[in-house]
Amino acid sequence: MEYNEKDLIIRSQKGESEAFGRLYDKYIRTIYDFVYYKTRHKETAEDLTSQTFFKALKNMASVDSNKPFSSWLYKIAQNTVLDHYRTKRNNQDIDDVYDIADDTDIVGSLDIAEDSKHIKKYLEKLAPLERDIIIMRVWQELSYKEIAQILGKSEASCKMSYSRSIKKLREFLPVALLLLLVSYI
């Protein structure tokens, strides 16, 4: 029997491990990618992703089944990454930690992989929030509503930030790379 996400949340809240397993299967890759973008370290991303799902399982009772589960899960992942850097006391600024994973579906060929490296160079010229919005929108294919919930911003603010970021990129990104970036949207 196939269940929708709301049903899986409700069943998980009742302690059904199979339901939580289905939610896990649905979101494991996107949450891992999100964490990897922030840590740029495979083992750390694996550990923090595991912690994220453990926290999610532990706090399933607090999920509102009428709101997107993904937003709640991304918020847990974001806080887990922040906690990691706070405890690690790393000298690197958390806002500057990002990456575009080379093994995502986007990178389907060597040419695209090379273009992705060039795009990363230009993304560094953006503010961390602008960069995060572009990464979540383009590479993680999140809706503006989901991005707004994750970042604690309004949907309109995220749309405006995205639009302004693309406008900034137009100023210094070669046309071919800009077209490649926009083609992923």
Side-chain angles (χ1 to χ4, degrees):
M1 182 173 189
E2 191 66 31
Y3 292 95
N4 67 34
E5 188 168 278
K6 184 176 181 175
D7 291 335
L8 291 173
I9 292 168
I10 292 168
R11 288 178 50 217
S12 294
Q13 289 173 327
K14 292 179 181 177
E16 292 184 36
S17 59
E18 178 191 343
F20 186 80
R22 288 184 183 197
L23 291 169
Y24 174 89
D25 290 343
K26 182 175 180 178
Y27 290 106
I28 183 66
R29 184 64 197 189
T30 57
I31 294 300
Y32 171 81
D33 287 347
F34 177 77
V35 173
Y36 180 80
Y37 296 149
K38 293 290 189 182
T39 63
R40 292 189 285 172
H41 188 260
K42 183 181 182 280
E43 289 80 13
T44 301
E46 289 170 352
D47 289 345
L48 297 179
T49 300
S50 176
Q51 288 177 33
T52 297
F53 280 96
F54 179 74
K55 290 175 184 178
L57 178 61
K58 185 177 169 186
N59 294 296
M60 279 304 292
S62 68
V63 178
D64 182 347
S65 61
N66 294 314
K67 293 185 179 177
F69 181 74
S70 62
S71 298
W72 180 76
L73 198 55
Y74 271 98
K75 194 67 174 168
I76 293 172
Q78 183 179 39
N79 289 336
T80 301
V81 170
L82 288 172
D83 290 345
H84 166 74
Y85 280 103
R86 283 186 192 120
T87 58
K88 188 174 178 186
R89 299 285 185 217
N90 193 339
N91 292 333
Q92 193 170 13
D93 185 356
I94 180 65
D95 288 333
D96 291 331
V97 176
Y98 78 99
D99 195 7
I100 299 171
D102 290 335
D103 60 348
T104 61
D105 293 339
I106 295 167
V107 184
S109 72
L110 293 175
D111 290 339
I112 293 174
E114 188 61 32
D115 289 340
S116 294
K117 289 178 186 174
H118 292 300
I119 290 172
K120 285 193 290 189
K121 178 177 76 173
Y122 290 101
L123 286 175
E124 290 174 356
K125 296 180 180 187
L126 297 175
L129 180 64
E130 294 170 327
R131 191 171 50 230
D132 284 349
I133 289 173
I134 286 183
I135 289 170
M136 284 190 266
R137 180 74 181 141
V138 175
W139 281 276
Q140 296 177 327
E141 300 176 350
L142 298 178
S143 69
Y144 288 113
K145 183 177 182 176
E146 291 172 312
I147 294 168
Q149 290 175 340
I150 291 165
L151 298 176
K153 307 270 184 205
S154 71
E155 208 171 321
S157 169
C158 290
K159 286 179 183 178
M160 182 62 70
S161 181
Y162 178 80
S163 177
R164 288 179 180 161
S165 300
I166 292 295
K167 187 175 180 180
K168 282 182 189 178
L169 285 173
R170 281 189 187 123
E171 294 172 10
F172 47 80
L173 191 64
V175 175
L177 290 178
L178 182 63
L179 290 174
L180 179 67
L181 176 68
V182 175
S183 72
Y184 291 137
I185 302 172

